[in-house]
Every structure is written in structure tokens, then in C-alpha cells.
Amino acid sequence: ALQAQLRDTNKFIRQAVLNALSRLDGNVDPAILCDLLRDPDVETQQKAIDAVVRANHPDTMKYLVNVLKDENEEARRAAVEVLNAIGTAQHVRFLLQSIKDDDWWVRSRAADALAKIGGPRVIEAALELIRDQDEEVRRAAIEILNQTRDERAVDLLIEATRDSDWWVRERAVDALAE
């Protein structure tokens, strides 16, 4: 009954429901919670981030993909905040693989959000994924590392200059130059 109220048009009702859900034990539908990451009200969106993180449902990443691809920068930021709290390299890999067949600008927006807002978990994932077998995952990892300028990436970026993919090699050189 509470979850159904998460779709109410009144932001105060959505916020009250999120508060109530946070005090209850039990499974909360990750699809509904992730959809609230797009909420236009910043306070509701923050409560949704907290609820998604607290629920830490095994299917969260499946629903987080669409939020990460959203045109709205605030929605993408919310998705990355969830990743910062509960994400692993496997989660980031799943997200990157899920968007690899989308248009280049969707992939670019997602990688940009991960790079600009991504915390230690996202950076750790990018450091691990720079050696992934999937070319698209490596490309996204390079983009993340290119923008974060994390010194731990230097050796991996040097190694990436010998990657089989010309694009990964070129972006690794750009990252090292920066």
C-alpha cells in the first residue's frame, strides 16, 4: 500500500512514504525506488537515493541503468550517488555493458556522470575495468579515468597505450598527457 503512494503527485506524500519505508523491514520494489531518482523535487530525490541504498536490492542495477541514461543531469547524478554507496566493479561493468549498444551521446553522458560524480567505488571499478575483455567497457573506463586524473591510474594508462583498440590507446595517451 505504501509503495503505491510513491507515485502520488504530491511531493510531501512521496517524502512521507519514503520516510515510512525507511523504518520498515521488508522488500521494497527497486523499480519504483529507482524511478524516484528522477523526481523533480531535490529533497524527494535525496530521500529516494537513501532508500535505494538502504534497500540494496539485488536487482537495483537493472533499474539504475535507465536513470544513468536519463537526459536529466540531476537524475544521472542521483544514479551515480547510489553507485558511490553500493556499487562494485561488477555493478559498474553491468551498467556499462547495458548501455554499450546505445547511441554515443548516451554512453558519453553516462561515462561523464560516472567520472564527474563518481566516488572511490566508481574509480576503483574503472581501475579494474580498464583491463576488461569488452572493448566498450575499456573505453568507458578510460573515459572515467581521463576525467578523474587519479594518480593510481598512471601505470594502467601506460599499459593501455598498448591496447588492441586504437581508441583506448588514443584516450590513454590523452589521459596521460593531461
Side-chain angles (χ1 to χ4, degrees), residues 109-173:
R109 275 196 314 246
D112 190 51
L114 289 167
K116 287 182 179 172
I117 307 163
R121 287 178 180 256
V122 173
I123 302 308
E124 288 295 326
L127 289 169
E128 186 176 320
L129 296 174
I130 198 170
R131 293 180 172 153
D132 197 87
Q133 291 181 350
D134 187 321
E135 177 179 284
E136 291 298 324
V137 171
R138 288 195 317 274
R139 286 180 175 194
I142 286 283
E143 282 306 312
I144 293 167
L145 294 174
N146 200 351
Q147 292 185 46
T148 60
R149 295 184 176 96
D150 192 303
E151 290 186 19
R152 295 173 295 165
V154 172
D155 290 338
L156 293 169
L157 289 169
I158 290 170
E159 184 181 320
T161 62
R162 295 182 291 278
D163 195 276
S164 60
D165 179 16
W166 68 270
W167 196 89
V168 170
R169 289 192 309 268
E170 185 175 304
R171 294 303 288 155
V173 169

Side-chain angles (χ1 to χ4, degrees), residues 38-67:
R38 294 182 171 106
D39 199 281
D41 178 66
V42 176
E43 190 174 340
T44 304
Q45 191 181 64
Q46 188 58 52
K47 288 179 184 291
I49 292 167
D50 295 340
V52 172
V53 168
R54 194 172 26 265
N56 198 7
H57 193 281
D59 291 337
T60 298
M61 294 307 143
K62 182 167 71 172
Y63 302 105
L64 206 57
V65 168
N66 291 328
V67 182

Side-chain angles (χ1 to χ4, degrees), residues 67-70 72-81 83-84 105-119 122-123 143-144 147-148:
V67 182
L68 189 61
K69 295 187 319 185
D70 201 283
N72 183 308
E73 185 175 351
E74 287 302 310
R76 293 192 309 269
R77 178 198 56 78
V80 175
E81 284 193 36
L83 273 177
N84 284 338
W105 64 85
V106 173
R107 293 189 312 269
S108 177
R109 275 196 314 246
D112 190 51
L114 289 167
K116 287 182 179 172
I117 307 163
V122 173
I123 302 308
E143 282 306 312
I144 293 167
Q147 292 185 46
T148 60

Side-chain angles (χ1 to χ4, degrees), residues 13 21-22 45 78 97 118 154 178:
I13 291 176
L21 287 173
S22 71
Q45 191 181 64
Q97 283 189 313
V154 172
E178 287 295 321

Side-chain angles (χ1 to χ4, degrees), residues 8-25:
D8 194 281
T9 57
N10 186 308
K11 72 178 181 179
F12 297 112
I13 291 176
R14 292 190 308 274
Q15 289 175 12
V17 171
L18 286 167
N19 287 335
L21 287 173
S22 71
R23 291 189 295 271
L24 297 176
D25 289 332

